[in-house]
Amino acid sequence: MKTFLTQLLDTLLPPSCLACDAQVAADGQFCAACFRRMNFISAPFCESCGVPLPFAGAAGEGGCCQRCEISPPAFTQARAALRYDAASRGVITAFKYADRTEAARGIAQLMLRPGRELLARADLLVPVPLHPARLRWRCYNQAALLTSRLSRLTGRPCALDALRREKATAPLERLSRAGREAELAGAIVPRQGFTATNQTVLLIDDVMTTGTTANACALALRAAGAARVDVLTAARVADPSLA
Ligand SMILES: [Zn+2]
Ligand SMILES: [Zn+2]
């Protein structure tokens, strides 16, 4: 974890590119070279889960991908800024594991545009929780950092401890969809006493892979009374079937 002094220096130093050390004009920007490598998500994408679609006609009747049509997620809409690929992985990994916490402000800014409508209708912003053991080891929850940044940028209230992870789950990437759902069943619950009665809650995370975690969080928020749950992430895997 950074000391107060290094955090202070970060705010005094000229802003650097989100992906490398090159200087840029303002926080939350990529240098020209890194910008060219980033893949921002643009239409067409699934109306519901936000997964990029290969072409406009690939969506079904309701504008949704096949997966959402067959089994609609517990959240209403999910949106993300970047495709999670070799280029954006470096940004996210440095933010997550290499103490580049100052990137939270820049990454949160990238999320404003794809999350515009979701942020506008949100009553409350809530991060995807980390298990306490993982939090101790990593010192900070990257989703909570993004949530408080987005809350400051938009004036929307946030509840950083709304959800809790009851058990440490195995890495989900190598499990089948059914396996992931079984692993997460009951793992994420609302904090005791937390209610979101009739509220529209916006769930925040750094990366959406298959959507299983977001779905488990949405179920917990719905159990706490939320009328609607949306999801906003910095990046998402473009083809969850390959994840
Ligand atoms: Zn750069
Ligand atoms: Zn979908």
Side-chain angles (χ1 to χ4, degrees), residues 46-51 53 63-69 73 236:
C46 169
E47 192 55 37
S48 177
C49 74
V51 72
L53 298 169
C64 292
C65 72
Q66 216 179 14
R67 238 180 77 154
C68 288
E69 273 194 344
R236 71 157 298 144

Side-chain angles (χ1 to χ4, degrees), residues 40-93:
F40 290 87
I41 292 174
S42 56
F45 47 74
C46 169
E47 192 55 37
S48 177
C49 74
V51 72
L53 298 169
F55 54 94
E61 291 255 316
C64 292
C65 72
Q66 216 179 14
R67 238 180 77 154
C68 288
E69 273 194 344
I70 295 168
S71 86
F75 52 82
T76 306
Q77 284 190 313
R79 296 292 179 264
L82 295 163
R83 280 176 189 251
Y84 191 57
D85 55 15
S88 66
R89 191 173 297 127
V91 181
I92 302 287
T93 307

